[in-house]
PDB file of all heavy atoms in Angstrom:
ATOM      1  N   CYS A   1      81.972  97.740  96.460  1.00  0.00           N
ATOM      2  CA  CYS A   1      81.365  96.883  95.423  1.00  0.00           C
ATOM      3  C   CYS A   1      80.241  96.007  95.966  1.00  0.00           C
ATOM      4  O   CYS A   1      80.338  95.466  97.076  1.00  0.00           O
ATOM      5  CB  CYS A   1      82.431  95.992  94.789  1.00  0.00           C
ATOM      6  SG  CYS A   1      83.558  96.878  93.692  1.00  0.00           S
ATOM      7  N   GLY A   2      79.201  95.875  95.136  1.00  0.00           N
ATOM      8  CA  GLY A   2      78.113  94.974  95.479  1.00  0.00           C
ATOM      9  C   GLY A   2      78.337  93.564  94.984  1.00  0.00           C
ATOM     10  O   GLY A   2      77.823  92.606  95.564  1.00  0.00           O
ATOM     11  N   PHE A   3      79.090  93.419  93.881  1.00  0.00           N
ATOM     12  CA  PHE A   3      79.378  92.104  93.287  1.00  0.00           C
ATOM     13  C   PHE A   3      78.101  91.308  93.015  1.00  0.00           C
ATOM     14  O   PHE A   3      78.110  90.075  93.067  1.00  0.00           O
ATOM     15  CB  PHE A   3      80.312  91.288  94.188  1.00  0.00           C
ATOM     16  CG  PHE A   3      81.675  91.870  94.357  1.00  0.00           C
ATOM     17  CD1 PHE A   3      82.114  92.282  95.610  1.00  0.00           C
ATOM     18  CD2 PHE A   3      82.523  92.036  93.278  1.00  0.00           C
ATOM     19  CE1 PHE A   3      83.386  92.819  95.778  1.00  0.00           C
ATOM     20  CE2 PHE A   3      83.801  92.572  93.440  1.00  0.00           C
ATOM     21  CZ  PHE A   3      84.228  92.959  94.694  1.00  0.00           C
ATOM     22  N   PHE A   4      76.983  91.995  92.806  1.00  0.00           N
ATOM     23  CA  PHE A   4      75.716  91.350  92.457  1.00  0.00           C
ATOM     24  C   PHE A   4      75.120  90.531  93.608  1.00  0.00           C
ATOM     25  O   PHE A   4      74.088  89.879  93.436  1.00  0.00           O
ATOM     26  CB  PHE A   4      75.862  90.448  91.222  1.00  0.00           C
ATOM     27  CG  PHE A   4      76.352  91.167  90.005  1.00  0.00           C
ATOM     28  CD1 PHE A   4      77.700  91.190  89.684  1.00  0.00           C
ATOM     29  CD2 PHE A   4      75.459  91.845  89.181  1.00  0.00           C
ATOM     30  CE1 PHE A   4      78.147  91.882  88.568  1.00  0.00           C
ATOM     31  CE2 PHE A   4      75.899  92.529  88.059  1.00  0.00           C
ATOM     32  CZ  PHE A   4      77.246  92.547  87.753  1.00  0.00           C
ATOM     33  N   ILE A   5      75.767  90.528  94.781  1.00  0.00           N
ATOM     34  CA  ILE A   5      75.252  89.694  95.872  1.00  0.00           C
ATOM     35  C   ILE A   5      74.948  90.493  97.136  1.00  0.00           C
ATOM     36  O   ILE A   5      74.439  89.942  98.110  1.00  0.00           O
ATOM     37  CB  ILE A   5      76.261  88.573  96.222  1.00  0.00           C
ATOM     38  CG1 ILE A   5      77.610  89.177  96.609  1.00  0.00           C
ATOM     39  CG2 ILE A   5      76.402  87.587  95.064  1.00  0.00           C
ATOM     40  CD1 ILE A   5      78.614  88.143  97.111  1.00  0.00           C
ATOM     41  N   ARG A   6      75.275  91.781  97.141  1.00  0.00           N
ATOM     42  CA  ARG A   6      75.010  92.605  98.319  1.00  0.00           C
ATOM     43  C   ARG A   6      74.794  94.037  97.864  1.00  0.00           C
ATOM     44  O   ARG A   6      75.071  94.395  96.720  1.00  0.00           O
ATOM     45  CB  ARG A   6      76.167  92.538  99.307  1.00  0.00           C
ATOM     46  CG  ARG A   6      77.475  93.110  98.759  1.00  0.00           C
ATOM     47  CD  ARG A   6      78.612  92.997  99.738  1.00  0.00           C
ATOM     48  NE  ARG A   6      79.817  93.658  99.224  1.00  0.00           N
ATOM     49  CZ  ARG A   6      80.968  93.722  99.871  1.00  0.00           C
ATOM     50  NH1 ARG A   6      81.089  93.168 101.064  1.00  0.00           N
ATOM     51  NH2 ARG A   6      82.015  94.347  99.338  1.00  0.00           N
ATOM     52  N   LYS A   7      74.297  94.856  98.778  1.00  0.00           N
ATOM     53  CA  LYS A   7      74.116  96.266  98.470  1.00  0.00           C
ATOM     54  C   LYS A   7      75.478  96.942  98.342  1.00  0.00           C
ATOM     55  O   LYS A   7      76.398  96.664  99.115  1.00  0.00           O
ATOM     56  CB  LYS A   7      73.314  96.953  99.580  1.00  0.00           C
ATOM     57  CG  LYS A   7      71.864  96.529  99.657  1.00  0.00           C
ATOM     58  CD  LYS A   7      71.198  97.073 100.907  1.00  0.00           C
ATOM     59  CE  LYS A   7      71.137  98.591 100.911  1.00  0.00           C
ATOM     60  NZ  LYS A   7      70.378  99.102 102.098  1.00  0.00           N
ATOM     61  N   ALA A   8      75.599  97.812  97.353  1.00  0.00           N
ATOM     62  CA  ALA A   8      76.820  98.608  97.239  1.00  0.00           C
ATOM     63  C   ALA A   8      76.890  99.583  98.412  1.00  0.00           C
ATOM     64  O   ALA A   8      75.863 100.031  98.929  1.00  0.00           O
ATOM     65  CB  ALA A   8      76.836  99.366  95.918  1.00  0.00           C
ATOM     66  N   LEU A   9      78.101  99.860  98.843  1.00  0.00           N
ATOM     67  CA  LEU A   9      78.320 100.841  99.905  1.00  0.00           C
ATOM     68  C   LEU A   9      78.590 102.193  99.269  1.00  0.00           C
ATOM     69  O   LEU A   9      79.596 102.376  98.578  1.00  0.00           O
ATOM     70  CB  LEU A   9      79.502 100.420 100.778  1.00  0.00           C
ATOM     71  CG  LEU A   9      79.932 101.410 101.869  1.00  0.00           C
ATOM     72  CD1 LEU A   9      78.822 101.599 102.895  1.00  0.00           C
ATOM     73  CD2 LEU A   9      81.223 100.936 102.542  1.00  0.00           C
ATOM     74  N   ARG A  10      77.685 103.126  99.474  1.00  0.00           N
ATOM     75  CA  ARG A  10      77.906 104.473  98.946  1.00  0.00           C
ATOM     76  C   ARG A  10      79.143 105.068  99.611  1.00  0.00           C
ATOM     77  O   ARG A  10      79.198 105.199 100.834  1.00  0.00           O
ATOM     78  CB  ARG A  10      76.687 105.358  99.195  1.00  0.00           C
ATOM     79  CG  ARG A  10      75.612 105.211  98.143  1.00  0.00           C
ATOM     80  CD  ARG A  10      74.530 106.247  98.320  1.00  0.00           C
ATOM     81  NE  ARG A  10      73.759 106.010  99.527  1.00  0.00           N
ATOM     82  CZ  ARG A  10      72.958 106.902 100.108  1.00  0.00           C
ATOM     83  NH1 ARG A  10      72.866 108.121  99.607  1.00  0.00           N
ATOM     84  NH2 ARG A  10      72.270 106.596 101.179  1.00  0.00           N
ATOM     85  N   THR A  11      80.110 105.452  98.792  1.00  0.00           N
ATOM     86  CA  THR A  11      81.412 105.882  99.300  1.00  0.00           C
ATOM     87  C   THR A  11      81.846 107.150  98.590  1.00  0.00           C
ATOM     88  O   THR A  11      81.810 107.230  97.360  1.00  0.00           O
ATOM     89  CB  THR A  11      82.468 104.781  99.080  1.00  0.00           C
ATOM     90  OG1 THR A  11      82.006 103.559  99.670  1.00  0.00           O
ATOM     91  CG2 THR A  11      83.796 105.172  99.685  1.00  0.00           C
ATOM     92  N   SER A  12      82.269 108.135  99.364  1.00  0.00           N
ATOM     93  CA  SER A  12      82.777 109.396  98.826  1.00  0.00           C
ATOM     94  C   SER A  12      84.203 109.579  99.344  1.00  0.00           C
ATOM     95  O   SER A  12      84.420 109.723 100.554  1.00  0.00           O
ATOM     96  CB  SER A  12      81.891 110.565  99.271  1.00  0.00           C
ATOM     97  OG  SER A  12      82.358 111.785  98.749  1.00  0.00           O
ATOM     98  N   LEU A  13      85.182 109.553  98.428  1.00  0.00           N
ATOM     99  CA  LEU A  13      86.593 109.578  98.810  1.00  0.00           C
ATOM    100  C   LEU A  13      87.244 110.924  98.493  1.00  0.00           C
ATOM    101  O   LEU A  13      86.848 111.624  97.564  1.00  0.00           O
ATOM    102  CB  LEU A  13      87.361 108.480  98.075  1.00  0.00           C
ATOM    103  CG  LEU A  13      87.020 107.027  98.425  1.00  0.00           C
ATOM    104  CD1 LEU A  13      87.929 106.077  97.642  1.00  0.00           C
ATOM    105  CD2 LEU A  13      87.146 106.767  99.916  1.00  0.00           C
ATOM    106  N   LEU A  14      88.281 111.226  99.274  1.00  0.00           N
ATOM    107  CA  LEU A  14      89.099 112.416  99.078  1.00  0.00           C
ATOM    108  C   LEU A  14      90.408 111.982  98.411  1.00  0.00           C
ATOM    109  O   LEU A  14      91.043 111.049  98.892  1.00  0.00           O
ATOM    110  CB  LEU A  14      89.423 113.075 100.420  1.00  0.00           C
ATOM    111  CG  LEU A  14      88.310 113.176 101.465  1.00  0.00           C
ATOM    112  CD1 LEU A  14      88.838 113.879 102.695  1.00  0.00           C
ATOM    113  CD2 LEU A  14      87.083 113.834 100.913  1.00  0.00           C
ATOM    114  N   VAL A  15      90.808 112.608  97.408  1.00  0.00           N
ATOM    115  CA  VAL A  15      90.186 113.663  96.660  1.00  0.00           C
ATOM    116  C   VAL A  15      90.718 113.514  95.241  1.00  0.00           C
ATOM    117  O   VAL A  15      91.855 113.109  95.046  1.00  0.00           O
ATOM    118  CB  VAL A  15      90.506 115.052  97.245  1.00  0.00           C
ATOM    119  CG1 VAL A  15      91.982 115.302  97.302  1.00  0.00           C
ATOM    120  CG2 VAL A  15      89.825 116.187  96.526  1.00  0.00           C
ATOM    121  N   ALA A  16      89.909 113.821  94.235  1.00  0.00           N
ATOM    122  CA  ALA A  16      90.371 113.810  92.847  1.00  0.00           C
ATOM    123  C   ALA A  16      90.879 115.202  92.497  1.00  0.00           C
ATOM    124  O   ALA A  16      90.100 116.156  92.436  1.00  0.00           O
ATOM    125  CB  ALA A  16      89.241 113.406  91.907  1.00  0.00           C
ATOM    126  N   ALA A  17      92.166 115.307  92.274  1.00  0.00           N
ATOM    127  CA  ALA A  17      92.765 116.600  91.962  1.00  0.00           C
ATOM    128  C   ALA A  17      93.824 116.420  90.883  1.00  0.00           C
ATOM    129  O   ALA A  17      94.475 115.378  90.800  1.00  0.00           O
ATOM    130  CB  ALA A  17      93.391 117.226  93.204  1.00  0.00           C
ATOM    131  N   ASP A  18      93.986 117.429  90.078  1.00  0.00           N
ATOM    132  CA  ASP A  18      95.054 117.437  89.077  1.00  0.00           C
ATOM    133  C   ASP A  18      96.303 117.971  89.756  1.00  0.00           C
ATOM    134  O   ASP A  18      96.646 119.148  89.649  1.00  0.00           O
ATOM    135  CB  ASP A  18      94.638 118.310  87.889  1.00  0.00           C
ATOM    136  CG  ASP A  18      95.706 118.379  86.813  1.00  0.00           C
ATOM    137  OD1 ASP A  18      96.491 117.411  86.702  1.00  0.00           O
ATOM    138  OD2 ASP A  18      95.759 119.391  86.088  1.00  0.00           O
ATOM    139  N   SER A  19      96.974 117.092  90.490  1.00  0.00           N
ATOM    140  CA  SER A  19      98.093 117.503  91.325  1.00  0.00           C
ATOM    141  C   SER A  19      99.369 117.688  90.502  1.00  0.00           C
ATOM    142  O   SER A  19      99.666 116.908  89.596  1.00  0.00           O
ATOM    143  CB  SER A  19      98.344 116.452  92.406  1.00  0.00           C
ATOM    144  OG  SER A  19      99.524 116.724  93.120  1.00  0.00           O
ATOM    145  N   LYS A  20     100.137 118.699  90.859  1.00  0.00           N
ATOM    146  CA  LYS A  20     101.430 118.916  90.229  1.00  0.00           C
ATOM    147  C   LYS A  20     102.447 117.843  90.632  1.00  0.00           C
ATOM    148  O   LYS A  20     103.466 117.672  89.970  1.00  0.00           O
ATOM    149  CB  LYS A  20     101.982 120.285  90.625  1.00  0.00           C
ATOM    150  CG  LYS A  20     101.216 121.475  90.091  1.00  0.00           C
ATOM    151  CD  LYS A  20     101.878 122.772  90.546  1.00  0.00           C
ATOM    152  CE  LYS A  20     101.180 123.998  89.988  1.00  0.00           C
ATOM    153  NZ  LYS A  20     101.822 125.260  90.422  1.00  0.00           N
ATOM    154  N   ALA A  21     102.162 117.128  91.731  1.00  0.00           N
ATOM    155  CA  ALA A  21     103.151 116.210  92.297  1.00  0.00           C
ATOM    156  C   ALA A  21     103.049 114.794  91.766  1.00  0.00           C
ATOM    157  O   ALA A  21     103.844 113.937  92.159  1.00  0.00           O
ATOM    158  CB  ALA A  21     103.002 116.190  93.822  1.00  0.00           C
ATOM    159  N   VAL A  22     102.091 114.519  90.877  1.00  0.00           N
ATOM    160  CA  VAL A  22     101.925 113.164  90.355  1.00  0.00           C
ATOM    161  C   VAL A  22     101.926 113.227  88.829  1.00  0.00           C
ATOM    162  O   VAL A  22     101.735 114.303  88.238  1.00  0.00           O
ATOM    163  CB  VAL A  22     100.611 112.524  90.864  1.00  0.00           C
ATOM    164  CG1 VAL A  22     100.610 112.432  92.381  1.00  0.00           C
ATOM    165  CG2 VAL A  22      99.394 113.315  90.378  1.00  0.00           C
ATOM    166  N   PRO A  23     102.121 112.091  88.159  1.00  0.00           N
ATOM    167  CA  PRO A  23     102.064 112.100  86.690  1.00  0.00           C
ATOM    168  C   PRO A  23     100.763 112.706  86.187  1.00  0.00           C
ATOM    169  O   PRO A  23      99.696 112.542  86.792  1.00  0.00           O
ATOM    170  CB  PRO A  23     102.160 110.609  86.344  1.00  0.00           C
ATOM    171  CG  PRO A  23     102.938 110.021  87.477  1.00  0.00           C
ATOM    172  CD  PRO A  23     102.494 110.773  88.698  1.00  0.00           C
ATOM    173  N   SER A  24     100.843 113.389  85.056  1.00  0.00           N
ATOM    174  CA  SER A  24      99.737 114.235  84.601  1.00  0.00           C
ATOM    175  C   SER A  24      98.444 113.487  84.328  1.00  0.00           C
ATOM    176  O   SER A  24      97.370 114.062  84.381  1.00  0.00           O
ATOM    177  CB  SER A  24     100.152 115.006  83.343  1.00  0.00           C
ATOM    178  OG  SER A  24     100.500 114.103  82.306  1.00  0.00           O
ATOM    179  N   GLY A  25      98.513 112.194  84.060  1.00  0.00           N
ATOM    180  CA  GLY A  25      97.290 111.460  83.755  1.00  0.00           C
ATOM    181  C   GLY A  25      96.673 110.763  84.937  1.00  0.00           C
ATOM    182  O   GLY A  25      95.667 110.036  84.793  1.00  0.00           O
ATOM    183  N   THR A  26      97.205 110.992  86.139  1.00  0.00           N
ATOM    184  CA  THR A  26      96.738 110.250  87.311  1.00  0.00           C
ATOM    185  C   THR A  26      95.257 110.465  87.586  1.00  0.00           C
ATOM    186  O   THR A  26      94.528 109.514  87.891  1.00  0.00           O
ATOM    187  CB  THR A  26      97.555 110.647  88.549  1.00  0.00           C
ATOM    188  OG1 THR A  26      98.941 110.358  88.307  1.00  0.00           O
ATOM    189  CG2 THR A  26      97.086 109.884  89.770  1.00  0.00           C
ATOM    190  N   VAL A  27      94.809 111.701  87.495  1.00  0.00           N
ATOM    191  CA  VAL A  27      93.406 111.964  87.826  1.00  0.00           C
ATOM    192  C   VAL A  27      92.465 111.262  86.863  1.00  0.00           C
ATOM    193  O   VAL A  27      91.401 110.771  87.252  1.00  0.00           O
ATOM    194  CB  VAL A  27      93.130 113.494  87.868  1.00  0.00           C
ATOM    195  CG1 VAL A  27      93.232 114.118  86.479  1.00  0.00           C
ATOM    196  CG2 VAL A  27      91.761 113.774  88.479  1.00  0.00           C
ATOM    197  N   PHE A  28      92.871 111.140  85.579  1.00  0.00           N
ATOM    198  CA  PHE A  28      92.029 110.417  84.616  1.00  0.00           C
ATOM    199  C   PHE A  28      91.997 108.927  84.948  1.00  0.00           C
ATOM    200  O   PHE A  28      90.961 108.269  84.813  1.00  0.00           O
ATOM    201  CB  PHE A  28      92.546 110.638  83.196  1.00  0.00           C
ATOM    202  CG  PHE A  28      92.503 112.062  82.750  1.00  0.00           C
ATOM    203  CD1 PHE A  28      93.664 112.814  82.674  1.00  0.00           C
ATOM    204  CD2 PHE A  28      91.292 112.668  82.420  1.00  0.00           C
ATOM    205  CE1 PHE A  28      93.627 114.142  82.262  1.00  0.00           C
ATOM    206  CE2 PHE A  28      91.244 113.994  82.010  1.00  0.00           C
ATOM    207  CZ  PHE A  28      92.411 114.732  81.935  1.00  0.00           C
ATOM    208  N   ALA A  29      93.133 108.388  85.407  1.00  0.00           N
ATOM    209  CA  ALA A  29      93.180 106.977  85.784  1.00  0.00           C
ATOM    210  C   ALA A  29      92.292 106.704  86.993  1.00  0.00           C
ATOM    211  O   ALA A  29      91.566 105.699  87.036  1.00  0.00           O
ATOM    212  CB  ALA A  29      94.619 106.562  86.074  1.00  0.00           C
ATOM    213  N   LEU A  30      92.327 107.601  87.980  1.00  0.00           N
ATOM    214  CA  LEU A  30      91.486 107.438  89.158  1.00  0.00           C
ATOM    215  C   LEU A  30      90.008 107.423  88.788  1.00  0.00           C
ATOM    216  O   LEU A  30      89.240 106.558  89.229  1.00  0.00           O
ATOM    217  CB  LEU A  30      91.755 108.566  90.163  1.00  0.00           C
ATOM    218  CG  LEU A  30      93.082 108.534  90.927  1.00  0.00           C
ATOM    219  CD1 LEU A  30      93.212 109.787  91.765  1.00  0.00           C
ATOM    220  CD2 LEU A  30      93.166 107.296  91.802  1.00  0.00           C
ATOM    221  N   LEU A  31      89.614 108.394  87.986  1.00  0.00           N
ATOM    222  CA  LEU A  31      88.209 108.483  87.598  1.00  0.00           C
ATOM    223  C   LEU A  31      87.803 107.325  86.703  1.00  0.00           C
ATOM    224  O   LEU A  31      86.710 106.756  86.849  1.00  0.00           O
ATOM    225  CB  LEU A  31      87.948 109.818  86.900  1.00  0.00           C
ATOM    226  CG  LEU A  31      88.089 111.063  87.787  1.00  0.00           C
ATOM    227  CD1 LEU A  31      87.978 112.330  86.949  1.00  0.00           C
ATOM    228  CD2 LEU A  31      87.044 111.073  88.887  1.00  0.00           C
ATOM    229  N   GLY A  32      88.680 106.958  85.771  1.00  0.00           N
ATOM    230  CA  GLY A  32      88.362 105.856  84.874  1.00  0.00           C
ATOM    231  C   GLY A  32      88.215 104.540  85.611  1.00  0.00           C
ATOM    232  O   GLY A  32      87.299 103.754  85.330  1.00  0.00           O
ATOM    233  N   GLY A  33      89.113 104.290  86.578  1.00  0.00           N
ATOM    234  CA  GLY A  33      89.028 103.055  87.350  1.00  0.00           C
ATOM    235  C   GLY A  33      87.752 102.959  88.158  1.00  0.00           C
ATOM    236  O   GLY A  33      87.096 101.913  88.191  1.00  0.00           O
ATOM    237  N   VAL A  34      87.383 104.051  88.803  1.00  0.00           N
ATOM    238  CA  VAL A  34      86.151 104.054  89.591  1.00  0.00           C
ATOM    239  C   VAL A  34      84.936 103.941  88.684  1.00  0.00           C
ATOM    240  O   VAL A  34      83.962 103.232  88.991  1.00  0.00           O
ATOM    241  CB  VAL A  34      86.078 105.319  90.468  1.00  0.00           C
ATOM    242  CG1 VAL A  34      84.693 105.472  91.086  1.00  0.00           C
ATOM    243  CG2 VAL A  34      87.133 105.260  91.550  1.00  0.00           C
ATOM    244  N   GLY A  35      84.969 104.636  87.548  1.00  0.00           N
ATOM    245  CA  GLY A  35      83.853 104.539  86.608  1.00  0.00           C
ATOM    246  C   GLY A  35      83.628 103.113  86.140  1.00  0.00           C
ATOM    247  O   GLY A  35      82.491 102.636  86.052  1.00  0.00           O
ATOM    248  N   PHE A  36      84.718 102.395  85.857  1.00  0.00           N
ATOM    249  CA  PHE A  36      84.615 100.997  85.438  1.00  0.00           C
ATOM    250  C   PHE A  36      84.014 100.142  86.556  1.00  0.00           C
ATOM    251  O   PHE A  36      83.116  99.322  86.328  1.00  0.00           O
ATOM    252  CB  PHE A  36      85.997 100.475  85.058  1.00  0.00           C
ATOM    253  CG  PHE A  36      86.025  99.007  84.735  1.00  0.00           C
ATOM    254  CD1 PHE A  36      85.650  98.547  83.481  1.00  0.00           C
ATOM    255  CD2 PHE A  36      86.422  98.082  85.697  1.00  0.00           C
ATOM    256  CE1 PHE A  36      85.669  97.193  83.185  1.00  0.00           C
ATOM    257  CE2 PHE A  36      86.450  96.733  85.407  1.00  0.00           C
ATOM    258  CZ  PHE A  36      86.063  96.279  84.143  1.00  0.00           C
ATOM    259  N   ALA A  37      84.519 100.323  87.788  1.00  0.00           N
ATOM    260  CA  ALA A  37      84.016  99.534  88.908  1.00  0.00           C
ATOM    261  C   ALA A  37      82.540  99.818  89.174  1.00  0.00           C
ATOM    262  O   ALA A  37      81.758  98.906  89.477  1.00  0.00           O
ATOM    263  CB  ALA A  37      84.839  99.822  90.159  1.00  0.00           C
ATOM    264  N   ASN A  38      82.135 101.073  89.049  1.00  0.00           N
ATOM    265  CA  ASN A  38      80.729 101.411  89.269  1.00  0.00           C
ATOM    266  C   ASN A  38      79.824 100.744  88.235  1.00  0.00           C
ATOM    267  O   ASN A  38      78.713 100.301  88.547  1.00  0.00           O
ATOM    268  CB  ASN A  38      80.534 102.926  89.234  1.00  0.00           C
ATOM    269  CG  ASN A  38      81.090 103.617  90.470  1.00  0.00           C
ATOM    270  OD1 ASN A  38      81.407 102.972  91.470  1.00  0.00           O
ATOM    271  ND2 ASN A  38      81.211 104.931  90.411  1.00  0.00           N
ATOM    272  N   ARG A  39      80.312 100.667  86.993  1.00  0.00           N
ATOM    273  CA  ARG A  39      79.495 100.071  85.933  1.00  0.00           C
ATOM    274  C   ARG A  39      79.503  98.541  85.994  1.00  0.00           C
ATOM    275  O   ARG A  39      78.453  97.909  85.844  1.00  0.00           O
ATOM    276  CB  ARG A  39      80.015 100.507  84.560  1.00  0.00           C
ATOM    277  CG  ARG A  39      79.817 101.976  84.238  1.00  0.00           C
ATOM    278  CD  ARG A  39      80.118 102.257  82.765  1.00  0.00           C
ATOM    279  NE  ARG A  39      81.433 101.764  82.364  1.00  0.00           N
ATOM    280  CZ  ARG A  39      82.563 102.454  82.487  1.00  0.00           C
ATOM    281  NH1 ARG A  39      82.533 103.667  83.011  1.00  0.00           N
ATOM    282  NH2 ARG A  39      83.716 101.945  82.085  1.00  0.00           N
ATOM    283  N   VAL A  40      80.661  97.962  86.221  1.00  0.00           N
ATOM    284  CA  VAL A  40      80.822  96.517  86.052  1.00  0.00           C
ATOM    285  C   VAL A  40      80.718  95.750  87.366  1.00  0.00           C
ATOM    286  O   VAL A  40      80.098  94.683  87.426  1.00  0.00           O
ATOM    287  CB  VAL A  40      82.168  96.216  85.363  1.00  0.00           C
ATOM    288  CG1 VAL A  40      82.381  94.712  85.224  1.00  0.00           C
ATOM    289  CG2 VAL A  40      82.222  96.901  83.992  1.00  0.00           C
ATOM    290  N   LEU A  41      81.310  96.292  88.413  1.00  0.00           N
ATOM    291  CA  LEU A  41      81.359  95.573  89.688  1.00  0.00           C
ATOM    292  C   LEU A  41      80.285  96.035  90.672  1.00  0.00           C
ATOM    293  O   LEU A  41      80.253  95.590  91.809  1.00  0.00           O
ATOM    294  CB  LEU A  41      82.741  95.739  90.322  1.00  0.00           C
ATOM    295  CG  LEU A  41      83.925  95.257  89.474  1.00  0.00           C
ATOM    296  CD1 LEU A  41      85.241  95.509  90.186  1.00  0.00           C
ATOM    297  CD2 LEU A  41      83.779  93.778  89.138  1.00  0.00           C
ATOM    298  N   ARG A  42      79.442  96.940  90.211  1.00  0.00           N
ATOM    299  CA  ARG A  42      78.322  97.442  91.013  1.00  0.00           C
ATOM    300  C   ARG A  42      78.792  98.134  92.298  1.00  0.00           C
ATOM    301  O   ARG A  42      78.166  98.001  93.350  1.00  0.00           O
ATOM    302  CB  ARG A  42      77.353  96.311  91.361  1.00  0.00           C
ATOM    303  CG  ARG A  42      76.726  95.620  90.157  1.00  0.00           C
ATOM    304  CD  ARG A  42      75.821  96.578  89.387  1.00  0.00           C
ATOM    305  NE  ARG A  42      75.256  95.950  88.201  1.00  0.00           N
ATOM    306  CZ  ARG A  42      74.110  95.247  88.192  1.00  0.00           C
ATOM    307  NH1 ARG A  42      73.427  95.098  89.305  1.00  0.00           N
ATOM    308  NH2 ARG A  42      73.663  94.717  87.069  1.00  0.00           N
ATOM    309  N   SER A  43      79.895  98.856  92.207  1.00  0.00           N
ATOM    310  CA  SER A  43      80.273  99.719  93.329  1.00  0.00           C
ATOM    311  C   SER A  43      79.489 101.023  93.211  1.00  0.00           C
ATOM    312  O   SER A  43      78.824 101.286  92.205  1.00  0.00           O
ATOM    313  CB  SER A  43      81.774  99.992  93.323  1.00  0.00           C
ATOM    314  OG  SER A  43      82.173 100.690  92.156  1.00  0.00           O
ATOM    315  N   ASN A  44      79.550 101.836  94.256  1.00  0.00           N
ATOM    316  CA  ASN A  44      78.905 103.142  94.243  1.00  0.00           C
ATOM    317  C   ASN A  44      79.859 104.121  94.911  1.00  0.00           C
ATOM    318  O   ASN A  44      79.667 104.529  96.053  1.00  0.00           O
ATOM    319  CB  ASN A  44      77.564 103.096  94.975  1.00  0.00           C
ATOM    320  CG  ASN A  44      76.754 104.371  94.785  1.00  0.00           C
ATOM    321  OD1 ASN A  44      77.209 105.315  94.123  1.00  0.00           O
ATOM    322  ND2 ASN A  44      75.571 104.416  95.353  1.00  0.00           N
ATOM    323  N   LEU A  45      80.917 104.453  94.177  1.00  0.00           N
ATOM    324  CA  LEU A  45      82.010 105.235  94.731  1.00  0.00           C
ATOM    325  C   LEU A  45      82.239 106.476  93.887  1.00  0.00           C
ATOM    326  O   LEU A  45      82.193 106.417  92.657  1.00  0.00           O
ATOM    327  CB  LEU A  45      83.275 104.376  94.776  1.00  0.00           C
ATOM    328  CG  LEU A  45      84.488 104.907  95.532  1.00  0.00           C
ATOM    329  CD1 LEU A  45      85.300 103.749  96.119  1.00  0.00           C
ATOM    330  CD2 LEU A  45      85.386 105.745  94.633  1.00  0.00           C
TER     331      LEU A  45
END
């Protein structure tokens, strides 16, 4: 996150997958959370 006071750190994380071992909506939660942070908190993840 940049938080409007610093440069965002470009970050690429492993891994978004529709895993059989986790609740079925987990991948949507992961993507939604990061999408919110990228828009609002100025992250670049």
Side-chain angles (χ1 to χ4, degrees):
C1 287
F3 295 117
F4 302 95
I5 58 174
R6 64 182 185 180
K7 291 171 64 175
L9 175 64
R10 276 188 291 164
T11 305
S12 181
L13 293 183
L14 318 181
V15 57
D18 179 27
S19 172
K20 293 181 178 180
V22 299
S24 60
T26 301
V27 68
F28 298 105
L30 288 175
L31 293 173
V34 169
F36 175 82
N38 287 347
R39 292 191 307 273
V40 178
L41 302 178
R42 300 295 178 88
S43 63
N44 190 358
L45 190 149

